[in-house]
Amino acid sequence: MNYSTYNVTLQEETTIPWTSVDTSTDYYYEDEGLSHVSDILSQFSMVIYSFAFVLGTVGNGLVIFFTGFMMKRTVNVVWFLNLAIADFIFTFFLPLSISYVALNFHWPFGNFMCKLNSTIAFVNLYASVFLLTVISIDRFISVMFPVWCQNHRTPRLASFVAIGVWILACIFSLPYFIFRDTDAYNDAVVCFNNFHEDKNIAFSRHKITVVVRFIASFLIPFSVIIFCYSVILLRIKRNHMTTSSKPFKIILAVIISFFVCWVPYHIFSFMELFVGHDNFRFDYIVFVGTPLTSSLAFINSCINPILYVFMGRDFKQKFQSSIRSIFERAFSEDSVQADLRSKTKSTSDSQLV
């Protein structure tokens, strides 16, 4: 494989191991200043990876333990349990990425682990966003059809839906397992996206993966989520509901944090497609921004347990209660549905009189 096909540029070397780097250009940097920036970005990335690994495995591990073994199984618990599993698996594999950066982008773990490490990252992305979309639809149905939910909205059904989400996430992540590859370069083994030997085909496949990822993991889910919560808020306002639902607020916080952490990554994924067109300033922005936005995406996998704790109870009460009670309060069934059932029952009783 020649250099033009593999194209390990300085910019690509500092990109996190699982990002879709541009393999279609021959442009690269020969600036000592950029080499210094590369070292700083590598050190910064290792700090973020290590922070995400420690906080993510411990925090999500606790969520899995309490939701999976200590709490009554409800629909909300099923959703948050699967979110925690997705984040835990991703952060559990972070030491591989930390080692890759620490070894100056030498991959000693073999071709299969190169593929698996990248695939797990995107399974986490798709599973998380699909679960957040399903949660939004679940809230929408609970508000609009409370009587139906009372009879059919069960943890068993939620578990089947969650299984479907995982299958769908694996399907969308399959291309990253197929295209991820290893090869020797400058006395090192690198883990990269080998889209094709032909530069034009490689660029086309790279562009397709970026566009599909943006549509499937951002555009469509974000549109569905906005629609669902807009209808929910309008319904609550129209029915003059004054309930303060902790689970409702937590779900909104989780959704907002997810999109804040992932939107910059999607933006720079598109920008990365245009690297290498003799625009040094643009390439430098992508060179610096890609590791930073990727690190921000990493942080999302460890922020959810923090949201559960700090929004589960008032700050003063939080330190006076057990961890189990915090999670139980955070994942309790939403009272919005109960209010709607009450209103529906009152309306039905009045019609019978």
Side-chain angles (χ1 to χ4, degrees), residues 234-351:
L234 288 174
R235 181 67 180 272
I236 292 175
K237 184 177 180 180
R238 188 178 66 181
N239 290 337
H240 304 290
M241 295 181 186
T242 58
T243 180
S244 59
S245 171
K246 290 290 184 180
F248 186 82
K249 292 180 180 179
I250 291 173
I251 292 168
L252 283 178
V254 170
I255 290 170
I256 292 172
S257 67
F258 181 89
F259 285 108
V260 167
C261 290
W262 279 101
V263 167
Y265 172 81
H266 288 294
I267 293 174
F268 273 84
S269 293
F270 277 103
M271 293 175 64
E272 209 172 17
L273 293 172
F274 302 98
V275 167
H277 296 282
D278 298 325
N279 188 334
F280 180 83
R281 181 172 298 179
F282 175 83
D283 293 349
Y284 184 80
I285 292 173
V286 177
F287 166 78
V288 174
T290 299
L292 297 179
T293 56
S294 300
S295 297
L296 181 62
F298 272 68
I299 294 175
N300 181 253
S301 295
C302 61
I303 198 173
N304 287 345
I306 299 176
L307 293 176
Y308 302 154
V309 171
F310 279 86
M311 297 190 68
R313 284 184 181 271
D314 295 332
F315 185 78
K316 181 181 290 186
Q317 294 177 338
K318 196 163 32 259
F319 292 98
Q320 300 174 351
S321 60
S322 66
I323 295 178
R324 179 179 178 181
S325 66
I326 292 173
F327 285 122
E328 286 178 343
R329 177 65 180 273
F331 302 141
S332 61
E333 288 298 318
D334 198 334
S335 58
V336 172
Q337 182 180 349
D339 283 358
L340 282 171
R341 290 173 185 168
S342 177
K343 286 181 176 291
T344 303
K345 186 177 184 301
S346 299
T347 302
S348 300
D349 292 342
S350 64
Q351 290 175 350

Side-chain angles (χ1 to χ4, degrees), residues 174-202:
L174 186 61
Y176 303 99
F177 187 86
I178 295 173
F179 292 126
R180 206 65 175 174
D181 202 0
T182 56
D183 194 43
Y185 179 80
N186 281 355
D187 299 324
V189 177
V190 286
C191 179
F192 70 107
N193 288 323
N194 186 11
F195 289 110
H196 199 272
E197 292 288 328
D198 183 86
K199 292 173 59 178
N200 294 326
I201 296 177

Side-chain angles (χ1 to χ4, degrees), residues 20-34:
S20 298
V21 295
D22 181 11
T23 59
S24 60
T25 65
D26 292 326
Y27 191 86
Y28 65 97
Y29 301 109
E30 295 180 344
D31 190 290
E32 293 183 358
L34 286 180

